[in-house]
Amino acid sequence: MATLIKNKRIAIDSWLQLKAEFAIPASGDVIVPLAVWTAQREQLVKRAGRHGVLLENTDDPRVLTADFDRLGLIAVRFPKFVDGRGYSIARLLRRLGWKGELRAVGDVLRDQLFYMTRCGFDAFALRDDQDPQVALTAFGDFSAPYQPAIDDGVRLGTPGTTRVGGALAQLAVNPW
């Protein structure tokens, strides 16, 4: 069973991730594939418990925008460590206005967590061979990012800013 890191802490996972061929339980928190959600949306929302959707890296997340208020989480599968399409899906979901839990599942490794956070993920179902305590250190790998991202608007390299003693400070004179 994968370890869940949520909001940069090890967490208990109350969600049951179902495959398309599984029967949906009458109650409880479930994550269903997009095709199941699309086909059974009205029946799903009538059952007791929260609902989540699993997006594959080939799914179009825009089809969920009308359902944002019905969902408790959206999970994005990373089938392989080297497949980065899930990062783009996460950024797009946040730009579309998704405010809920955004979970990375599949081949999720410690080395990806910092970058996944920058794209909008706030929960991570680690691959079984990953040590969750070691994985938590990933969020401190870099003190200041260069690129713009979903997680904040402050970046190293923004004119007039620098890091001093770990805190962001305004420079009176831009040295560049």
Side-chain angles (χ1 to χ4, degrees):
M1 181 179 201
T3 299
L4 181 67
I5 294 178
K6 184 175 177 180
N7 299 319
K8 300 181 182 178
R9 294 192 170 136
I10 296 172
I12 295 174
D13 189 3
S14 66
W15 293 84
L16 177 62
Q17 187 173 316
L18 302 176
K19 296 185 179 184
E21 64 273 9
F22 285 25
I24 298 170
S27 64
D29 301 338
V30 294
I31 304 170
V32 298
L34 177 60
V36 172
W37 175 257
T38 302
Q40 300 180 35
R41 176 185 299 113
E42 296 311 317
Q43 298 92 316
L44 284 165
V45 297
K46 291 177 184 173
R47 58 179 290 286
R50 296 179 294 170
H51 311 93
V53 172
L54 173 66
L55 295 174
E56 298 295 335
N57 60 358
T58 55
D59 289 334
D60 183 353
R62 293 173 287 203
V63 301
L64 290 176
T65 55
D67 293 322
F68 281 177
D69 61 335
R70 296 175 163 193
L71 297 172
L73 77 75
I74 297 175
V76 179
R77 183 185 316 279
F78 285 79
K80 293 190 256 183
F81 173 75
V82 296
D83 190 331
R85 290 176 283 183
Y87 293 93
S88 299
I89 290 172
R91 286 188 64 121
L92 180 56
L93 282 165
R94 292 301 187 195
R95 286 183 179 152
L96 290 169
W98 175 250
K99 303 279 188 229
E101 180 179 329
L102 185 53
R103 181 181 294 191
V105 300
D107 199 13
V108 178
L109 308 176
R110 180 242 180 256
D111 293 346
Q112 298 167 288
L113 300 186
F114 177 83
Y115 302 105
M116 287 177 166
T117 301
R118 306 250 22 245
C119 292
F121 287 102
D122 55 7
F124 314 89
L126 296 175
R127 198 170 74 183
D128 288 337
D129 65 343
Q130 299 295 290
D131 181 329
Q133 292 298 332
V134 172
L136 286 173
T137 65
F139 301 111
D141 280 353
F142 303 99
S143 61
Y146 283 101
Q147 306 85 358
I150 298 297
D151 64 343
D152 70 3
V154 179
R155 298 177 300 283
L156 190 64
T158 301
T161 62
T162 188
R163 292 256 176 197
V164 178
L168 192 65
Q170 284 293 118
L171 290 177
V173 177
N174 186 341
W176 293 281

